Amino acid sequence: TVKNNIKGDFGQSILYKKSVAEIILSRLPWTLYIMLTTLLTSLFLGIALALICIKKSRLDGYIYRAMSLVCEMPSFLIGVLFLFLIAAKVPWIPLAGNLTPFRRYTSSLEFAGDVLLHSFLPILALVVVTTPVFYFTSRSSFKTIMNKEYILNANAKGLSEKTIKYKYILLNAILPIVARFFLNVGNCIGATLLIENVFAYPGLGKILRDAVMYRDFILIQGIFLLSTTLVLVASFISDTINYYLQQRLAND
């Protein structure tokens, strides 16, 4: 029932013979790790590329075309290409999984390194298709800010290009970019669930596939409910930032 769902009781999984909440909690950290790492890395790369291209029109043209091409490609296709072109040819890059089977770790650093190595390709595949979103948003925001009078004044004062980029352009354009970050959570959840199946990564995507195959509707419902909640929370944060941005623009 809805009352039980609110309390975190999603019922019993038919396939795993366990509580749905228990199954989801055991796999959720791996999915969140992939998703958050992807979003943060893509955010940083998108902003960095847009900042570099502010006054370099030729480079901006090349990157814009490349990003336009890549953003239309599905993440699972990029993942399959990486499996054939990278993982199959580089012996030290794992093909699947999140940890090396039966390996004994002597330190937490060794464990973290193994986790990072196994997640490298899934994250890379997601970053490739997610970075364009932040690049386009950052590029548009930066171009809008560059037409403001205070940028002209900053140039007239003889301030360094670095100061103008980071103190005047980036800081004033950051709100729409942050709003896009939270707005993109929904897309990233869907892409992460797909890419986990490509690399047999033991997150929510893998158990969702198993649940669909064996018609475990209770488990499917639990995963969808959690995903929907995450998207709604992220959308609320994005709307709050956009409201603050509109109020700020109205006051200006």
Side-chain angles (χ1 to χ4, degrees), residues 71-146:
C71 74
E72 299 297 329
M73 300 180 72
S75 58
F76 68 87
L77 179 59
I78 300 289
V80 171
L81 287 174
F82 282 171
L83 274 177
F84 283 101
L85 299 177
I86 300 176
K89 296 183 179 181
V90 182
W92 54 270
I93 293 183
L95 284 165
N98 62 329
L99 295 168
T100 303
F102 310 112
R103 180 175 177 179
R104 293 183 178 181
Y105 302 100
T106 55
S107 65
S108 56
L109 192 64
E110 188 180 347
F111 172 78
D114 196 35
V115 169
L116 229 116
L117 190 62
H118 280 78
S119 63
F120 174 69
L121 283 184
I123 290 173
L124 182 62
L126 289 170
V127 165
V128 167
V129 296
T130 309
T131 299
V133 176
F134 297 112
Y135 169 76
F136 293 138
T137 304
S138 302
R139 183 177 180 271
S140 177
S141 298
F142 293 159
K143 284 184 177 294
T144 302
I145 294 298
M146 285 179 70

Side-chain angles (χ1 to χ4, degrees), residues 191-246:
T192 303
L193 295 181
L194 285 174
I195 211 72
E196 283 178 348
N197 283 294
V198 173
F199 292 95
Y201 202 82
L204 293 179
K206 191 173 183 303
I207 60 172
L208 179 60
R209 185 199 64 182
D210 294 341
V212 171
M213 286 179 63
Y214 292 95
R215 299 183 181 181
D216 190 347
F217 297 113
I218 299 173
L219 182 55
I220 295 171
Q221 176 184 282
I223 295 172
F224 280 150
L225 186 60
L226 176 64
S227 302
T228 304
T229 303
L230 289 174
V231 172
L232 288 174
V233 170
S235 297
F236 174 75
I237 296 172
S238 177
D239 288 342
T240 304
I241 293 171
N242 279 326
Y243 174 77
Y244 175 76
L245 179 62
Q246 288 174 1

